[in-house]
Amino acid sequence: EAQVTQNPRYLITVTGKKLTVTCSQNMNHEYMSWYRQDPGLGLRQIYYSMNVEVTDKGDVPEGYKVSRKEKRNFPLILESPSPNQTSLYFCASSTYSGQGAYGYTFGSGTRLTVV
Amino acid sequence: QKEVEQNSGPLSVPEGAIASLNCTYSDRGSQSFFWYRQYSGKSPELIMSIYSNGDKEDGRFTAQLNKASQYVSLLIRDSQPSDSATYLCAVNVEYGNKLVFGAGTILRVKS
């Protein structure tokens, strides 16, 4: 089954404790992206990657890191989480062409709470 | 000005009616436009994509694009209670490298 798999689904952590949210896709998609979703603000892009070893900042990259060492994986790293990073996080992937990324397939989401 | 704007709603329509959802965008260079549906507590699901001016129909859904007016809309015919969800408009910006979402419109279909 074609899918984007995120782990964990739920995470409660303390301020400053490094964490990684994993994302993996099995569709051989070139393009992968991380979003956070907050009430009233919608989905905001954190980072995206157009292929292996190619990443770029989205609209809200502060406090986050990513890497794309393999085509299928795109982990999101919070080196020192803070309460304002409490949010619902989505990983997404898509094919990519001259017109940009096509429709995304989203993962199931990770609800992160930082206390 | 936000890059992609939607009326937050809620938009309430009776079962069987046509629901009309609207979206405007600011990047004149945008070429790709998408509508996603998101049920409460779930991830967004792609329901329509449109790349050329005019209408595109898929079942009960019709997407409409007017690049001159920088306007995208989604019509849902014969609305069903199961269509009750948040509908997200998304637009490719910066030569397609970024997909920007609107904040979404809540649709409620009353039986």
Side-chain angles (χ1 to χ4, degrees), chain A residues 9 31 35 37 40-43 45 48 50 57-59 88 90 96 98-104 106-109, chain B residues 2-3 31-32 34 36 38 41-46 49 51 88 92 94-104:
Chain A
R9 289 291 310 277
Y31 191 94
Y35 286 83
Q37 188 172 36
L41 297 177
L43 283 160
Q45 193 173 41
Y48 63 95
M50 289 185 280
K57 296 177 181 179
D59 294 318
L88 178 58
F90 288 105
Y96 186 82
Q99 280 196 324
Y102 285 115
Y104 283 176
F106 279 86
S108 298
Chain B
K2 292 184 181 178
E3 290 184 279
Q31 298 292 324
S32 308
F34 306 91
Y36 288 79
Q38 186 176 25
K42 301 294 186 183
S43 56
E45 171 194 13
L46 179 67
S49 58
Y51 307 101
L88 305 169
N92 263 330
E94 294 188 14
Y95 308 106
N97 291 338
K98 290 175 59 176
L99 190 64
V100 178
F101 286 80

Side-chain angles (χ1 to χ4, degrees), chain A residues 1-11 21-25 27 32-37 43 87-93 104-112, chain B residues 37-45:
Chain A
E1 179 189 353
Q3 60 185 1
V4 177
T5 303
Q6 284 180 240
N7 280 298
R9 289 291 310 277
Y10 301 91
L11 179 60
V21 184
T22 63
C23 175
S24 180
Q25 50 94 4
M27 296 166 280
M32 298 186 75
S33 185
W34 277 102
Y35 286 83
R36 60 178 288 175
Q37 188 172 36
L43 283 160
S87 186
L88 178 58
Y89 291 86
F90 288 105
C91 180
S93 73
Y104 283 176
T105 299
F106 279 86
S108 298
T110 296
R111 187 166 292 282
L112 172 66
Chain B
R37 177 177 62 200
Q38 186 176 25
Y39 293 113
S40 181
K42 301 294 186 183
S43 56
E45 171 194 13

Side-chain angles (χ1 to χ4, degrees), chain A residues 34-77:
Chain A
W34 277 102
Y35 286 83
R36 60 178 288 175
Q37 188 172 36
D38 302 289
L41 297 177
L43 283 160
R44 293 180 293 166
Q45 193 173 41
I46 302 170
Y47 270 95
Y48 63 95
S49 169
M50 289 185 280
N51 217 321
V52 176
E53 303 291 3
V54 181
T55 63
D56 208 346
K57 296 177 181 179
D59 294 318
V60 288
E62 295 78 20
Y64 305 95
K65 284 177 58 177
V66 293
S67 67
R68 187 92 181 272
K69 294 184 171 60
E70 303 165 285
K71 196 171 186 179
R72 62 182 292 126
N73 295 325
F74 191 45
L76 179 70
I77 302 158

